[in-house]
Structures are given as C-alpha cells and as structure tokens.
C-alpha cells in the first residue's frame, strides 16, 4: 500500500468487501451501509424498535460513498481546506458543520485552529446511512508575521472578545504616564486601532470577563487619586463606567469570575492612607446588582501577591503560589463559592510566583515556571499539574528553560505555547517553546526581541497574538507579532 505524498490531495479510499479500515487520514465507518441505521438483532433477541424496511421503496439505491477527499494532505493553522464528496444516495450531509452536500460538490471549510475530523453522511429514504470519515491534520508553520504598525505597550491587560477581536487595556506606553487607552486588534484587517478609554490610566490592571460583554477592571497602578476604584468596560462599545470601590488598593492581585456575574478579588500588595505596602490576605466579592464590593469575613489562608486564580470545572477557584510573608504558606488554596471560604491544599511543595496557570482540555491545571527561592527568587523550569479529582499536584517534565513572568496559550491538544518572560535574574527572553506534558519543552522560533510584561492571546483562527513587553533595560518592544 502506498502512502500519500505531502502536498498531494488526501483522498478517502473505499475498500472492497465487508472490512473497514483507516487509511492515512480517511476511513469508512460503514462500508455500503451501517452508521445511522439499526444493527441486525442478535439471535433470540427482540428485533429493534425501528428496523429498516425489509423491502426498501423502489428506485432508492443503497447509499454508497464513492470518494471523500481534501485538496491537501495537511493545513497550516488558520488556513482552510476544500472538501469534495462523490456518492450515491438521495442526500449528503457534512458533520459537524451540518452542511448539506450534493454529490460532486466542493465545500471550503476554515479557518482551522486544530486537527479536524469531518464525517460525510449519505442517506436514502428507507435505507441505512453510509458514512465516511476524513481527518485533516493542522500544524503550525513555526514562524511569526509582524504587523506593520508598531505599538509601544507594556504591563497591560489583553482579552479575547466575543467577536474574535482582542482588547488591549491600559498599561504603560512611555512618556512617564499610565495609559487610559483601550485598543482593539481586528484579526480580519490585521490592524490595531483606538477603541475606547478607561476612566483612569492603569498599569498592570486585572481584567475579568463577565456575561453580556462586560469586563471588570480592578487594581494595578492608577493615575487617579483613589487606587481602590474599579470600572466596568463594555467590550462592544469601548465605554467604561464606575464599578464601585474595593475595600483596599491592590496591585499584583488576582481575580476570578463567579456564578451570577460576581467576581472574587483577593490578595496583592496593599497600601492606603500613607501606610507602608504590605502583602494582603483579604478577599472581597464584586456584586453586579449593586456594582459594589463586599469584603469577606474570612480571607485567604495566607497572604499572597503574584499568585494565580483558575476556575475549575466544579466551580471552585484554585489559587496557586505568590510571594507571602508567611514562611509556612501552602502552595495552593481552594475557594468554594457556596461557603465563601478558603481551604489550603496540602502538597509539601514550595511557593512560586509570577508563573502561568492554564487549564487543559481535561480540566486539569498546568502550573508552568515562575520564581522560586524565598528572599532571592530565581526563574524556574519546574512544571506542576493539579488534578481536581484527586486534589493533588504532580510534577511533570520541565520547561526547556527557566521562565518567570511567563505568558502562554493553551492548545486544544493540551500542549502549551510559551513566549518570552524572564529566564534569569538579569535576562529577559527572546525565546519561545512548545510544552508537552508528556515530553517537556521544545524550542520554537525566536521572538523579535526580548519581552517581559507582554501579553499572549490565542485567536479564533488558532494563531497567537504577542503584544508589547520590555527589555531588561526597560525599552519597549514595539513589534506586534502573530505566531502561526
């Protein structure tokens, strides 16, 4: 049997006889029948409730797939594929798109952000359906496309909007002032344009997406007089409105959405009324009905700053790491929205901060890199995985190199793309890597200059937007890049 040549069309192949087999990227799930029809009853078993007619209506041929193929053997992420089917039967349907097909018709599908499996279903009245499956591999080119317009930006927030655009919120843009700008990246035009304005300039804000296209902006460094002020940004219009006042100013804190549009805000560095900065264990919940914050009677088990929050499938919030003034602070805690209490997760593992926490498609959470080392923290290549089912952490193969202030994007495969960050106490990174939980880190193409304080956003097409950041000397990296 010959294998397909890269770049040549990838066909579905029909087998003679009753056997069905997977050939390269295409397979029959039923040869000359089967699929959606009812199977024949076993001996001494009652017949199926809706068996196919013993005598099909005259003139209705048995459905049969003659060919089902793509115009290429693989697709690069963000690309499209042209599918063509030839069959005998009264109708054809392409799943999961649900598109109707006629024999000989071609259909272009895309953009593709991951490997896709297409199923052709062919039917005739009173006959069992025939099906064929076509798998189309999708991979990255491992290269960057640089946008023509520069953007001097660092310490901002970036969020993927419902329409597929990316909002770039606040940050530092040079000139000694904190920015109140909201820019919008449009993947269709490839441009970044002004979109809205915050009520106050902010660097290092925490942005939390809410239902109905709202974004709650909390904390960070503000140009306004009251650093406790929060605001509500509408991702559809770019307009921002006051959203209440936190119980205390917070920088380097974390926030996570709760059911009903509420938001949990906890930890961070706090300072108010001339008091010295301190690491906080306080927590509060933003209530959308009143647009106000409610301080919780019981805060974090340990004060934290530089930690992460991840919403688990069971609705609880996983809080991991951070710097703490408590030498016995546990690595992680769980917040239960039903009881509004924090419970430490016993692990025996040391604290880390400035790491990335990303939930995989299986609901487990990867904790990648960060800083370890107490009073003299250093970037680490360590990777952990938290399993909500067991409540335990497991150590995984390490990153290719140590990284803190790391920014990454989770892929549907469970792998992670990581870009830039700090690789040593005196070094910001140009490098990027793909992390596989089973194998560890593998090098990707280098960025256009070192970056920390940047943002990484996976687009609907599967491509990855990398914006902003600074060199170790504090110089902006103004090159906006798309990894594909």
């Amino acid at each position: 049997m010959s294998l397909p040549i890269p770049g040549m069309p990838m066909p579905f192949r029909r087998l003679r006889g009753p056997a069905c087999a997977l050939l390269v990227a295409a397979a029959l799930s039923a040869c000359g029948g089967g699929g959606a029809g009812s199977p024949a009853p076993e001996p001494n078993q009652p017949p199926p409730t809706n068996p196919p007619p013993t005598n099909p209506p005259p003139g209705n041929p048995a459905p049969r797939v003659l060919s089902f193929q793509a115009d290429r053997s693989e697709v690069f992420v963000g690309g499209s594929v042209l599918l063509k089917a030839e069959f005998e039967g009264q109708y054809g349907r392409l799943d999961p798109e649900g598109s109707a097909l006629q024999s000989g018709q071609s259909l272009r599908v895309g953009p593709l952000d991951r490997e896709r499996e297409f199923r052709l279903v062919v039917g005739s009245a009173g006959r069992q359906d025939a099906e064929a499956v076509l798998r189309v591999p999708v991979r990255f080119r491992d290269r960057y496309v640089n946008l023509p317009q520069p953007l001097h930006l660092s310490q901002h927030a970036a969020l993927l909007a419902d329409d597929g655009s990316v909002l770039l919120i606040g940050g530092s843009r040079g000139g000694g002032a904190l920015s109140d700008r909201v820019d919008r990246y449009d993947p269709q035009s490839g441009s970044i344009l002004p979109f809205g304005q915050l009520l106050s300039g902010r660097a290092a804000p925490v942005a939390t997406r809410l239902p109905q296209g709202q974004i709650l902006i909390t904390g960070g460094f503000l140009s306004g007089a009251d650093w406790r002020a929060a605001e509500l940004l509408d991702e559809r219009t770019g307009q921002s409105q006051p959203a209440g006042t936190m119980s205390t100013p917070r920088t380097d804190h974390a926030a996570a959405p709760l059911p009903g549009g509420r938001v949990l805000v906890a930890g961070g560095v706090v300072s108010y009324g001339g008091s010295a900065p301190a690491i906080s264990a306080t927590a509060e919940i933003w209530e959308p009905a009143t647009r106000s914050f409610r301080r919780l009677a019981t805060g974090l088990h340990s004060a934290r700053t530089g930690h992460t929050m991840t919403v688990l499938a069971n609705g609880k919030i996983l809080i991991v790491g951070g710097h703490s003034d408590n030498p016995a602070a546990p690595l992680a805690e769980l917040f239960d929205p039903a009881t509004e209490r924090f419970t430490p997760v016993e692990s025996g593992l040391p604290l880390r901060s400035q790491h990335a926490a990303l939930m995989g498609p299986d609901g487990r959470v990867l904790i990648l890199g960060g800083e370890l080392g107490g009073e003299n923290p250093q970037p680490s290549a360590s990777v952990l995985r938290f399993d909500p089912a067991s409540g335990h952490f497991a150590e995984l193969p390490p990153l290719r190199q140590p990284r803190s202030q790391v920014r990454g994007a989770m892929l549907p495969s469970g792998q992670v793309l990581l870009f830039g960050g700090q690789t040593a106490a005196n070094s910001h990174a140009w490098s990027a890597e793909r992390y596989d939980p089973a194998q560890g880190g593998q090098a990707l193409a280098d960025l256009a200059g070192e970056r920390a304080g940047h943002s990484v956003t996976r687009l609907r097409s599967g491509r990855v937007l990398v914006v902003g950041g600074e060199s170790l000397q504090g110089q902006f990296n103004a090159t906006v890049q798309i990894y594909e």
Side-chain angles (χ1 to χ4, degrees):
M1 179 178 67
S2 60
L3 295 178
I5 300 173
M8 295 295 290
M10 180 176 56
F12 148 82
R13 300 180 190 270
R14 181 167 57 89
L15 299 183
R16 296 184 181 276
C20 293
L22 176 66
L23 290 181
V24 189
L28 268 180
S29 61
C31 294
S38 301
E42 296 292 334
N44 302 321
Q45 296 294 322
T49 55
N50 293 301
T54 304
N55 298 311
N60 285 351
R64 188 161 64 111
V65 177
L66 303 178
S67 69
F68 184 31
Q69 62 184 14
D71 65 340
R72 60 197 64 195
S73 59
E74 66 178 4
V75 179
F76 292 113
V77 67
S80 63
V81 65
L82 188 67
L83 303 178
K84 184 176 182 179
E86 294 183 355
F87 55 85
E88 295 176 352
Q90 291 182 322
Y91 64 85
R93 185 183 71 248
L94 181 67
D95 290 335
E97 275 66 20
S99 303
L101 280 179
Q102 294 181 354
S103 182
Q105 178 185 358
S106 297
L107 179 67
R108 184 164 294 280
V109 180
L112 303 183
D113 68 335
R114 69 193 75 185
E115 177 177 305
R116 292 288 300 277
E117 179 178 285
F118 299 99
R119 183 178 300 273
L120 174 65
V121 181
V122 179
S124 293
R127 297 282 193 173
Q128 292 183 349
D129 291 344
E131 298 185 359
V133 173
L134 184 65
R135 291 183 178 88
V136 179
V138 177
R139 69 178 181 89
F140 285 89
R141 296 176 185 266
D142 192 26
R143 72 178 189 184
Y144 299 90
V145 176
N146 297 340
L147 299 192
Q149 61 184 119
L151 182 63
H152 296 80
L153 181 61
S154 180
Q155 303 295 333
H156 56 285
L159 283 179
L160 182 69
D162 279 338
D163 64 1
S165 66
V166 178
L167 300 186
L168 306 171
I169 303 168
S172 173
R173 300 175 187 249
L178 305 180
S179 177
D180 60 2
R181 278 179 53 182
V182 178
D183 289 335
R184 178 178 176 268
Y185 168 73
D186 180 2
Q188 300 300 320
S189 65
S191 61
I192 297 178
L193 297 173
F195 180 64
Q197 187 174 19
L198 299 175
L199 302 177
S200 179
R202 291 181 188 257
V206 174
T208 308
R209 290 200 74 237
L210 304 175
Q212 288 80 50
Q214 301 294 319
I215 302 171
L216 181 67
I217 313 294
T218 58
F221 301 92
L222 276 69
S223 60
D226 192 348
W227 286 23
R228 300 174 302 166
E231 48 190 297
L232 200 60
L233 175 67
D234 191 321
E235 69 174 37
R236 299 158 297 187
T237 65
Q239 296 180 347
S240 194
Q241 300 178 354
T245 302
M246 293 187 294
S247 63
T248 183
R250 300 180 190 271
T251 59
D252 215 9
H253 60 294
L258 299 174
R262 300 180 301 157
V263 178
L264 172 68
V265 182
V269 174
V270 301
S271 176
Y272 196 67
S275 61
I279 301 175
S280 177
T282 62
E284 48 198 310
I285 290 179
W286 183 76
E287 301 285 357
T290 59
R291 293 194 180 184
S292 62
F293 290 85
R294 172 171 55 87
R295 180 93 167 240
L296 298 182
T298 304
L300 293 164
H301 181 272
S302 298
R304 299 174 187 269
T305 182
H307 51 296
T308 57
M309 287 187 182
T310 307
V311 182
L312 303 178
N314 60 12
K316 294 184 178 180
I317 310 296
L318 175 68
I319 302 105
V320 176
H323 294 292
S324 180
D325 52 11
N326 176 10
L331 171 64
E333 308 182 32
L334 284 171
F335 175 78
D336 188 341
T339 63
E340 296 188 349
R341 290 187 173 274
F342 297 86
T343 304
V345 177
E346 301 300 332
S347 69
L349 296 168
L351 276 178
R352 66 179 67 202
S353 65
Q354 306 300 331
H355 54 279
L358 299 170
M359 178 181 287
D362 61 0
R364 295 182 293 181
V365 182
L366 292 180
I367 309 299
L368 304 115
E371 297 178 352
L372 285 82
E375 295 182 359
N376 185 30
Q378 297 292 323
S380 172
S382 167
V383 178
L384 305 173
R385 182 166 58 195
F386 178 77
D387 187 345
S390 66
H392 295 145
F393 285 92
E395 297 192 54
L396 298 183
L399 302 176
R400 183 173 178 271
Q401 65 182 136
R403 294 180 190 271
S404 67
Q405 301 185 52
V406 60
R407 302 291 187 268
M410 176 65 70
L411 302 181
S413 64
Q415 297 179 334
V416 180
L417 302 182
L418 300 168
F419 301 88
Q422 189 167 355
T423 55
N426 58 351
S427 177
H428 286 184
W430 299 52
S431 62
E433 63 182 279
R434 178 196 295 264
Y435 180 79
D436 187 322
Q439 300 177 2
Q442 298 177 337
L444 299 178
D446 285 341
L447 294 160
E450 56 189 86
R451 296 178 189 265
H454 56 299
S455 64
V456 169
T457 310
R458 184 174 180 269
L459 305 175
R460 294 273 175 82
S461 66
R463 298 183 178 104
V464 180
L465 176 69
V466 183
V467 177
E470 301 177 8
S471 69
L472 185 65
Q473 293 73 32
Q475 297 175 330
F476 287 107
N477 187 329
T479 304
V480 179
Q481 299 189 275
I482 306 290
Y483 179 75
E484 61 174 25

